[in-house]
Short mmCIF file of all heavy atoms in Angstrom, two decimals:
data_model
loop_
_atom_site.label_atom_id
_atom_site.label_comp_id
_atom_site.label_asym_id
_atom_site.label_seq_id
_atom_site.Cartn_x
_atom_site.Cartn_y
_atom_site.Cartn_z
N TYR B 46 -96.24 -7.60 42.07
CA TYR B 46 -94.97 -7.09 41.52
C TYR B 46 -95.26 -5.86 40.67
O TYR B 46 -96.34 -5.72 40.11
CB TYR B 46 -94.28 -8.16 40.67
CG TYR B 46 -94.02 -9.43 41.43
CD1 TYR B 46 -94.96 -10.45 41.45
CD2 TYR B 46 -92.86 -9.58 42.18
CE1 TYR B 46 -94.75 -11.61 42.17
CE2 TYR B 46 -92.64 -10.73 42.91
CZ TYR B 46 -93.58 -11.74 42.90
OH TYR B 46 -93.36 -12.88 43.64
N ASP B 105 -111.74 -12.96 54.09
CA ASP B 105 -111.81 -13.24 52.64
C ASP B 105 -110.52 -13.90 52.15
O ASP B 105 -110.54 -14.76 51.27
CB ASP B 105 -112.05 -11.95 51.85
CG ASP B 105 -113.41 -11.32 52.15
OD1 ASP B 105 -114.33 -12.06 52.55
OD2 ASP B 105 -113.53 -10.09 51.99
N TYR B 125 -96.01 -25.43 46.80
CA TYR B 125 -95.41 -24.34 47.57
C TYR B 125 -96.18 -24.11 48.86
O TYR B 125 -95.62 -23.92 49.92
CB TYR B 125 -95.44 -23.03 46.78
CG TYR B 125 -94.87 -23.07 45.39
CD1 TYR B 125 -95.56 -22.50 44.34
CD2 TYR B 125 -93.62 -23.64 45.14
CE1 TYR B 125 -95.04 -22.50 43.05
CE2 TYR B 125 -93.10 -23.65 43.86
CZ TYR B 125 -93.81 -23.08 42.82
OH TYR B 125 -93.31 -23.08 41.57
N PRO B 233 -116.55 -0.35 39.33
CA PRO B 233 -116.88 0.90 40.03
C PRO B 233 -116.44 0.90 41.49
O PRO B 233 -116.37 1.95 42.11
CB PRO B 233 -118.40 0.99 39.91
CG PRO B 233 -118.85 -0.42 39.69
CD PRO B 233 -117.76 -1.10 38.94
N LEU B 340 -95.00 -47.13 24.51
CA LEU B 340 -95.12 -46.05 25.49
C LEU B 340 -96.19 -45.06 25.05
O LEU B 340 -96.25 -44.69 23.88
CB LEU B 340 -93.78 -45.32 25.63
CG LEU B 340 -92.61 -46.16 26.16
CD1 LEU B 340 -91.30 -45.40 26.00
CD2 LEU B 340 -92.83 -46.54 27.61
N ILE B 364 -84.52 -45.95 19.50
CA ILE B 364 -84.05 -47.02 20.40
C ILE B 364 -85.06 -48.17 20.45
O ILE B 364 -85.06 -49.00 21.35
CB ILE B 364 -83.78 -46.50 21.84
CG1 ILE B 364 -85.05 -45.86 22.42
CG2 ILE B 364 -82.61 -45.55 21.86
CD1 ILE B 364 -84.94 -45.59 23.92
N MET B 382 -102.07 -34.16 34.99
CA MET B 382 -100.79 -33.76 35.58
C MET B 382 -100.89 -33.47 37.09
O MET B 382 -99.89 -33.14 37.71
CB MET B 382 -100.25 -32.51 34.87
CG MET B 382 -99.83 -32.78 33.44
SD MET B 382 -98.52 -34.01 33.29
CE MET B 382 -97.06 -33.02 33.66
N ASN B 408 -85.55 -18.33 44.70
CA ASN B 408 -86.53 -19.30 44.19
C ASN B 408 -85.92 -20.70 44.03
O ASN B 408 -86.25 -21.42 43.11
CB ASN B 408 -87.11 -18.81 42.86
CG ASN B 408 -86.09 -18.78 41.74
OD1 ASN B 408 -84.89 -18.94 42.00
ND2 ASN B 408 -86.55 -18.59 40.54
N LEU B 436 -83.89 -34.97 50.57
CA LEU B 436 -83.03 -33.81 50.34
C LEU B 436 -83.85 -32.54 50.12
O LEU B 436 -83.51 -31.46 50.61
CB LEU B 436 -82.12 -34.06 49.13
CG LEU B 436 -80.95 -35.02 49.39
CD1 LEU B 436 -80.40 -35.55 48.08
CD2 LEU B 436 -79.86 -34.32 50.19
N ARG B 455 -79.24 -29.01 45.26
CA ARG B 455 -78.35 -29.44 44.16
C ARG B 455 -78.11 -30.95 44.20
O ARG B 455 -78.08 -31.60 43.16
CB ARG B 455 -77.03 -28.67 44.23
CG ARG B 455 -77.18 -27.24 43.75
CD ARG B 455 -75.91 -26.46 43.86
NE ARG B 455 -76.01 -25.23 43.09
CZ ARG B 455 -75.19 -24.21 43.20
NH1 ARG B 455 -74.18 -24.27 44.05
NH2 ARG B 455 -75.36 -23.13 42.46
N PRO B 469 -85.10 -33.32 31.63
CA PRO B 469 -85.16 -31.97 31.05
C PRO B 469 -84.81 -32.03 29.57
O PRO B 469 -83.94 -32.79 29.16
CB PRO B 469 -84.10 -31.20 31.85
CG PRO B 469 -83.19 -32.23 32.41
CD PRO B 469 -83.95 -33.52 32.53
N GLU B 478 -97.61 -13.79 24.54
CA GLU B 478 -98.14 -13.23 23.30
C GLU B 478 -98.70 -11.85 23.60
O GLU B 478 -99.47 -11.68 24.55
CB GLU B 478 -99.26 -14.14 22.78
CG GLU B 478 -99.48 -13.99 21.30
CD GLU B 478 -100.48 -15.02 20.80
OE1 GLU B 478 -101.44 -15.34 21.52
OE2 GLU B 478 -100.31 -15.48 19.67
#
Side-chain angles (χ1 to χ4, degrees):
Chain B
Y46 302 91
D105 295 334
Y125 308 133
L340 297 169
I364 58 168
M382 292 299 280
N408 66 350
L436 285 161
R455 285 178 166 166
E478 203 173 37

